[in-house]
Amino acid sequence: MTFSNNDPVNIAFADLNLHGIYISGSDGNAVVKLSSGYNICVPESLCTPAPERSTAQPPHTAAEPPKQDANLPLLSIISTGGTIASTVDYRTGAVSSKFTADDIIRSIPELAGIARYHTAQPFNILSENMNPAMWQELARAVRDEITAGATGVIVTHGTDTMLYSAAAVSFMLETPVPVIFVGAQRSADRPSSDNAMNAICSAKAAISDLGEVVVCMHATSDDVECALHRATRVRKNHTSRRDAFQSIGRAPVGMVSYPDGAVTLGKDTVLRGTRELRLFDRLDSHCGLLQYYPGMDPAVFDAFRGYAGLVIAGTGLGHVGTDCIAKIAALIAAGTFVVMTSQCQAGSVCDRVYETGRDLLDAGVVEGGSMLPEVALVKLMWVLGNATRREDAVRMMQTNLKGELDYDLWREM
């Protein structure tokens, strides 16, 4: 017997007669959501078709794809994988990325009442496998969807490296419409999954007056609202909480209340139609990120010989041990562009206060201001892919381009 998602089934074993809804199958095993709301994994041979639909209802599922309403705005969903597109493999207990963008729409019928959708899937991976070449492919896919008429783009993405991808697309793309990165901390078949609410809020944000790249995730652990975080000022601050993402050094650029979907935007939010669509997708991926720690062997810097760029996450105002400065100076003399950021989550690098900082400046280190180290790495790849002279690269790194800096550091001399 072959079952499909959402089929009502009966399960009989050990003098028990259970009723539920078929969720998925693998290697002869079936995952069934019981009337109690719990999921169980049983041999598929124990399942028989139920004559009537079980009272168990998996959240946000539908047997058939929702109909598209031609009167609604057109959005694009670009699926890259991650937890929001994953289920638990109950044979191994591991979460694996299986769903396509079409599956997401099919499983969350509320999306059909917000917009109509075009879907694309350039890849389907867990986000730790993302790389700069994929960032470029993703930016091009977003550009293509907007060119084809999308009034907003939703990118579903794994949460572990979403901030890198969102920042990369933000630097590479000038967008006249909202580009919303969204993920989930818990897969769709878990009782506490955040995937449906996050997806619904992202669709609401995608039809709003927003006009920049943001990350849309739970604002609190409750199902009350999602925050819209600027792509260059966000970090995942918890491994598993639903409200793991937080704006750093600023408030979110917007909020989406749930379930009514009202979108509230901040005063400095970039609005729809402010910018013309343009793509600058050149990257120099031969860059690295190194966090300094007390007692670090200066020889660690030798690993970055030949790199185009290096971002250092220094202590406090942007420092490393004095015994590292000669190695950093040698890197710079050999052509590596070195940027100093801080491990602190607030404040700005200033290497003019202490002697160590002044020595770093004399060696040629470029101050990264208030940029988050991860964002500085992505920006450095983009800058070195587009700048033709060192002075141009310094100016670009120290100019606030996409909200990554509190203010411009670079001044015309």
Side-chain angles (χ1 to χ4, degrees), residues 9-24:
V9 294
N10 292 327
I11 305 167
F13 73 100
D15 296 326
L16 295 175
N17 289 295
L18 305 175
H19 308 281
I21 289 176
Y22 181 90
I23 295 178
S24 62

Side-chain angles (χ1 to χ4, degrees), residues 2 32 43 137-138 148 175 181 220 229 241 255 258 278 346 410:
T2 301
V32 177
E137 186 176 351
L138 185 55
T175 176
F181 277 75
T220 70
H229 305 283
R241 283 177 62 102
M255 303 293 290
Y258 183 83
R278 300 178 70 187
W410 184 83

Side-chain angles (χ1 to χ4, degrees), residues 28-50:
N29 296 312
V31 178
V32 177
K33 181 174 287 294
L34 300 178
S35 302
S36 64
Y38 284 93
N39 297 344
I40 63 169
C41 181
V42 297
E44 197 163 277
S45 60
L46 296 180
C47 299
T48 58

Side-chain angles (χ1 to χ4, degrees), residues 383-403:
V383 165
L384 296 182
N386 289 276
T388 57
R389 303 178 302 168
R390 176 179 169 83
E391 51 264 41
D392 293 333
V394 173
R395 172 180 55 81
M396 293 167 71
M397 283 301 298
Q398 296 193 326
T399 299
N400 181 30
L401 300 176
K402 293 299 179 70

Side-chain angles (χ1 to χ4, degrees), residues 369-393:
S370 58
M371 273 188 291
L372 301 176
E374 306 96 314
V375 174
L377 172 66
V378 173
K379 183 177 182 181
L380 184 58
M381 291 182 185
W382 181 79
V383 165
L384 296 182
N386 289 276
T388 57
R389 303 178 302 168
R390 176 179 169 83
E391 51 264 41
D392 293 333

Side-chain angles (χ1 to χ4, degrees), residues 126-130 135 157-166:
L126 296 174
S127 72
E128 58 266 29
N129 297 315
M130 276 284 180
W135 298 341
H157 196 289
T159 60
D160 281 1
T161 67
M162 184 157 59
L163 70 94
Y164 290 89
S165 298

Side-chain angles (χ1 to χ4, degrees), residues 27 111 135 155 227 266 281 369 406:
D27 293 340
L111 292 173
W135 298 341
V155 180
D281 61 354
D406 291 338

Side-chain angles (χ1 to χ4, degrees), residues 97-119:
S97 186
K98 297 180 179 178
F99 290 170
T100 66
D102 286 330
D103 291 329
I104 293 171
I105 296 173
R106 185 179 299 112
S107 65
I108 308 174
E110 292 93 334
L111 292 173
I114 300 172
R116 52 194 173 95
Y117 302 91
H118 178 262
T119 62

